Amino acid sequence: MYALLLAFRYLRTRMIPLVAIGAVGLCVALVVVVVSVMSGFLYQVEQAGKTLIGDVVVTNGLRGLPDPEGFIAELKQNEAIAAATPVVETFATIRMPYDEVRGVQVWGVDPKSFDEVTGFAQTLHWTPEGSGTDWSEADFRRDLSPELLMGLEEEGRALARTEPDGTVRPGICLGLEISIGNKRNDEGTYDPVNRWFMPVQEPVVLTTIPPDTLNTTPEPVSIAFAPVNEFSCGLILIDKERVFVPLAEARRMTNMTVAEEVDEEGLPTGKVFPARSSKILVRGNGLPEAQVREIVDVAYREWAEREGHVINPMIFRVQTWRENQASFLQPVENERELMRTLFSLVYLVCAGLVLAIFHAIVTEKTRDIGVLRALGATRPGIAMIFVQYGVVIGILGAILGVLLGWAVVHNISLINQAIGDPPMAAVFVLGAVGVVGLWRFASGFHSGFLAPRVLGAGLILVGFGLGAAIWYIKANGLSRVIWDPAVYYFAEPPNRMDWWTALTTAIGAVVFSVVGAVFPAARAADVDPVEALRHD
Amino acid sequence: MTEPNMNANASTTVLQATGLHRTYRMGRVEVPVLRGVDLQVQEGEWLCVLGSSGSGKSTLLHQLGDLDRPDRGHIVWRGQSLTDMRRRERETYRNRAIGFVFQSYHLMPELNVLENVMVASMVGHDPFAWRSMRDEASARAEELLDAFGLGHRFEHRPAELSGGERQRVAMARALVNGPDVVLADEPTGNLDTKTGDDILDVLAERHRLGLSMVMVTHDPTIAARADRVVKMVDGVVVEHNAST
Ligand SMILES: Nc1ncnc2c1ncn2[C@@H]1O[C@H](COP(=O)(O)OP(=O)(O)OP(=O)(O)O)[C@@H](O)[C@H]1O
Ligand SMILES: [Mg+2]
């Protein structure tokens, strides 16, 4: 009982333990923030990856898969399969309305079944609900009429535009980051370019060279598309690379259309090759992905054998979305674990700090320890004072650290911005700190005390130094955004708190605080009461 | 534990030391401090130990209070030898049977007056046992502090008290567990004569109620108030009579 009482009293009457709590808190916050951001990043990547792929992906190298519609029709008989869709993937150059030509990844899809598998329609940007969120106050695009947006949504869902005269033209849906009309500024919002936006522009043209054109000089294929909508899946990497077009057009661009076999004279032999697709995406009916993969794998092999399609085991793949994205996900996951391990070294810092501080306190409290021993305190009892003291410091530090970490993670966007472009207010605040430093320094000079002068000098250095540095950076435009969307794939840094990590780190901090306390505690227990009481 | 008993048979021996030897070693040099001390403390007796500085008076008190162990010799408390006691029993002995009063008070600066007194009874009980006897202990501590004229200073820190007041708190701490013997090492050594006399009055009152005391002092006028006076000379205890 006295152990706890003394532990709390030592806490209240001393400055050093507060420093220890602060240090432990900072260590915990550091781990929590780093791992949370990494986990959040991983989560975002996974979610984005899943949005566009479904549960299971069937691929067969560049050759693609024959007659995907035939297989899908059969696969959908299976109870466990909710939806499946063929995708033709290729690369093409796109000619933008503002006379820019750039490369894009083209996905030819059947919009309806593709939406069933991937939720594609949810990523459409120009819809009555979807648009306007990121536009700045003054942007005209906030005020687009609902009728217009409804029309665009419909066209986006169909990947087709019906002209007033009734003709239907193939539509294209671009990743939101492709058009210069949607370039994010440093604040993460968009600035309008003149008064246009992508979907109502004149047609854009995709040009590609189809593979597999044997015996002929490759002829580029160009197709004009009406820009019907834009999408954003949250993964910048995809948003600035990919366009969706109707499946039929993509097949034309890749020679994956139905083909008739011809003999040497160019006469049809009567044999027909079915249309192909680069991949088939499948969504299960809520079963685990691995199970869905097995079902699809078995179904495909049966179907291919029956239909006489040869499977090349070297290139034929049935993968879960996670496996498909592994090259992308794995490094992030590894990096997170590396960070977790490296930053766990801060536990040693915790333990070391507590050890040093407790060592000092035990030395200072030797006499009191002697008194307690004279009063009949046992050695374990004396040790408990300091062990419990360590527990208290660990717990308070851990709580502080988790709160601090939570605050940082929660406001990481703001902090990212503030660091990238420090507000002028920071300069003023730092200037004020410098002035306070001057005042302390002057008062120390008057009274002759040294401490206020040292403190003052420190404040002057920090206040004016840092303030001047920030001012210089701002004045010369040297600031940079740390979380650059282009580098990190996402517009916003992840702000999901990793509570599991927070919990384990907090427990670790408490454990290591106690570890740090144990040695000084043992030393305290072994204090010789006679020696201690002779210090008069 | 054992309440001071007014009706005790005066011939009962509470504490008995026989042939105590204690030698300190400083490097190669051996400093024999106790060289065969024989001492008896009777129930309800006020015993004073005189002796020049460095003669080993404090060392003797530390032996009697089990803060240090003799190289040779025995201390027997109510028929029980300290050497035969197990560690837990010795701790209980220090907590319940003995009350220490030091020259420089040795209060704990972080605790207030009441807590400084109660800590002695906290030490003797684990947290669960303490919970059940907490009220009783605090009542006893308050009663003692009241009796010593500190009734309205429970919340004060030792730093806010005068030397005499601090020594009263220390005495309350020594008495709160109702010890058999109080061991006082120059309890008035840091106080002026007037304050010292007040402190002695308090102890004398306790003695009148039956408390046994061993008090170390330099001061013959203090020794004059005791029942019996002994003197440390050359590492042994000899009877002292005021005339010599
Ligand atoms: N831990 C120790 N190591 C070495 N010598 C010691 C130790 N403790 C005590 N001594 C020596 O033992 C002798 C007796 O010390 P003690 O404190 O018992 O004397 P004292 O009679 O109480 O003196 P005073 O009246 O000054 O308090 C002294 O010479 C002291 O130097
Ligand atoms: Mg002494």
Side-chain angles (χ1 to χ4, degrees), chain A residues 155 159-163 169-174 198-199 201-204 224-229 244:
Chain A
E155 291 179 345
L159 280 180
R161 168 159 295 163
T162 313
E163 298 293 352
R169 291 205 285 133
I172 184 170
C173 182
L174 296 93
M198 205 55 211
Q201 285 303 302
E202 61 220 61
V204 297
F225 293 92
V228 287
N229 213 317
F244 290 109

Side-chain angles (χ1 to χ4, degrees), chain A residues 38-52:
Chain A
M38 299 285 292
S39 298
F41 181 44
L42 199 63
Y43 177 81
Q44 281 181 341
V45 171
E46 285 187 356
Q47 288 308 304
K50 192 167 183 194
T51 311
L52 293 159

Side-chain angles (χ1 to χ4, degrees), chain A residues 74-88:
Chain A
E74 180 169 317
L75 183 66
K76 279 171 79 176
Q77 308 288 313
N78 195 315
E79 294 276 283
I81 305 301
T85 188
V87 171
V88 170

Side-chain angles (χ1 to χ4, degrees), chain A residues 474-493:
Chain A
K474 278 185 78 75
N476 292 283
L478 296 176
S479 57
R480 45 179 63 206
V481 179
I482 299 199
W483 184 274
D484 185 346
V487 178
Y488 288 100
Y489 317 119
F490 294 106
E492 296 269 299

